[in-house]
Amino acid sequence: MSDKQLTYAESGVDIEEEEKTIRALTKGMTYKRTGLGAPLTDIGHYAGLIDFGEYALALATDGVGSKVLIANEMKRWNTVGIDCIAMNVNDLLAIGAEPISFVDYLALEEHNEDFASQIGEGLKKGAEFSHMSIAGGETATLPDIINGFDLAGTCLGMVRKEDIITGEKVRLGDAIVGIPSAGVHSNGYTLVRKIIENSSYSYHDPFPFNPSTTIGDELLIPTRIYMEILDVIKECDVHGLAHITGSGLLKLKRVTSLGFDFYDPIEPHDIFKLLQKEGNVDTLEMYRTFNMGMGFVIILPPEQAEKAASMTGGKIVGRIVESGIKVSGLVIV
């Protein structure tokens, strides 16, 4: 256990500085196409939407992040392809779009056929679960830049314009349904790695809460893909959706300026308990960094909440309030 309280920023990822970089990067992106292909949303939501007649095409791009370093340590790469697809698909689902196609980008230090086969295995599984095709991609050999590998991708989806969900319909008193995550998913791994590396554990050690597996294998559990959201959208009046990723519950500010009161949150997985203890991480920092057991959020009228929870294996975790984000009384923001 660390004597010092570890934070995401001190481990190398400062969310506030990252937001400043994004603002600097995008402030000059002022050109906008008109007519077919015109943007329907501003930069900053979960996915970008462009005009395509009666439909909107949705685009999202993301990668696996430093979780790949744990895959390298464990010499097991057959799940990170699922992570890559999940991070993109879930962002499309968060605006109500159905994923239809994917392209990947694999940057390598050197070539290895077994490694490449395992990456392909994960991408195949992720695409099958998401009911979409992989249309192509790019492989780059960059020994002077890449130490190991990096995996990212871009996902294309579609949604009828009248079915787009951006959070505009969210109102006071709406219920919040939380859907469990599979584990840490693919965010916060800079802090995860710092915690494990500063602890008495290694990735190959038995996981204390389940000695039949290792800490490394627990951390490599792939990101859950929430395709059932499309069924909920068809049967319920969904007002807002959120994919809980890096920066934890702070991502909810993308959905609405109203507040969130999580009065009955999902119990965090045991892996989060281990990370918090070993890193001496403050509870507030945990909720500002990790999904803490809840990977996706649905916001809808209270009378439909139980149905949505039943359809997704989730539960009612809170309600929409005037301002702020609270978890069992703890003020997140």
Side-chain angles (χ1 to χ4, degrees), residues 73-74 196-197 199-219 271 274 278:
E73 175 65 28
M74 301 299 292
I196 299 301
E197 289 162 12
S199 74
S200 60
Y201 291 105
S202 80
Y203 297 116
H204 301 278
D205 286 335
F207 181 45
F209 291 88
N210 179 13
S212 66
T213 190
T214 67
I215 292 173
D217 286 330
E218 189 73 17
L219 291 169
I271 187 63
L274 176 70
E278 291 302 315

